[in-house]
Each structure stands twice: as C-alpha cells, then as structure tokens.
Amino acid sequence: MIDKLAGYLDYHQEALSLRHERQKVLANNIANADTPNYKARDFDFSAELDRAMQSGGSGQDGGLSLTTTSARHIPAQAPGGGGVHDLLYRVPEQPSLDGNTVDMDRERAAFADNALRYQANTTILTSKIQGIKAAMQPAR
C-alpha cells in the first residue's frame, strides 16, 4: 500500500525537484549576466524528468555511492549526487562582444515561467495529498 502511495506521488516530487534545479541554473545565468565569457546554461526539463522517472525516481540510481571497508558497514548514499545529468549550453541569439551568452530577456522569461510551473506543481501535489487524506478519513 505504501509503495503505491509513494509511486503515486513520485512524479510530482521529481518534477518539483527538477523545477528547483532549473530555477538555480536560471538564477545563476542572471547573476552572471555581466561576467565576461560566461556561457548561459539550461537543460531540457522533459528529458530530465523522463530520465529521472526511468531510473526509479527520487535519486535512487543517481546518488554517489559510498565505499565501505567492511561487510558490516551500513550502505549509504551521499547527498547531492542526483540532479541534472545533461546541463547544456544555451545557443545565443546575439552574443556580446565580451563572449557572454546570457540574454536577459530570455532568462527572465524562463525564470518566471519556471516559477509559475513550480507553483502549479506545488498546487497539484497539495490537492493530491488532500485527496488522499480525505480518502483516509472515516465516513461520517
């Protein structure tokens, strides 16, 4: 029963995690808009979400494995090992003379769009959890 419940929510959990990662990448691009030779980065959200769901979700395959020196050691995952695998360089419409490829209009639009989609994912996940909670309540 718990496995079905976790599977029911994994998609939205992965989507929120990837939206968070993309927000950090876009914020980094905006912060480096005036840095000479900085290359803007981004990733294909759909491809990364598909990859995360194929690998079992929740970073189960994506983490860093820790080395154990004894069979009696507890196996563990290092934090921060998951995340985006294919961070790409953005192709500029019109690169600047200093080699910076950040287009502030594009970055602001992508940042706002990602924030809106993050909020939508949060709303959907909240409504699903409320639905599950309502289903667990005894009938009156």
Side-chain angles (χ1 to χ4, degrees):
M1 178 67 180
I2 297 296
D3 292 341
K4 289 183 181 182
L5 185 60
Y8 184 68
L9 300 175
D10 271 351
Y11 178 82
H12 295 289
Q13 178 185 351
E14 286 297 328
L16 283 174
S17 177
L18 285 172
R19 290 270 172 225
H20 175 73
E21 288 296 319
R22 185 159 190 245
Q23 203 73 350
K24 290 193 304 189
V25 169
L26 295 172
N28 196 32
N29 288 346
I30 292 170
N32 287 292
D34 294 327
T35 304
N37 293 317
Y38 180 80
K39 307 300 181 209
R41 308 291 301 265
D42 203 355
F43 62 89
D44 182 4
F45 179 82
S46 299
E48 286 296 320
L49 184 58
D50 288 343
R51 182 204 51 78
M53 295 311 295
Q54 291 297 324
S55 68
S58 301
Q60 292 172 358
D61 286 346
L64 298 172
S65 61
L66 299 177
T67 304
T68 57
T69 56
S70 170
R72 297 183 310 185
H73 286 169
I74 299 171
Q77 291 289 108
V84 179
H85 286 70
D86 293 327
L87 196 57
L88 307 170
Y89 290 101
R90 190 169 286 178
V91 177
E93 298 283 328
Q94 185 175 358
S96 63
L97 294 175
D98 65 357
N100 188 305
T101 62
V102 175
D103 179 1
M104 282 302 289
D105 293 331
R106 179 187 276 185
E107 298 301 326
R108 283 188 200 113
F111 190 88
D113 178 66
N114 194 61
L116 184 66
R117 291 175 188 265
Y118 183 91
Q119 185 63 41
N121 275 105
T122 304
T123 303
I124 291 168
L125 187 58
T126 301
S127 70
K128 287 188 179 284
I129 291 171
Q130 287 174 346
I132 292 168
K133 283 172 51 178
M136 290 181 183
Q137 296 298 321
R140 294 183 199 207

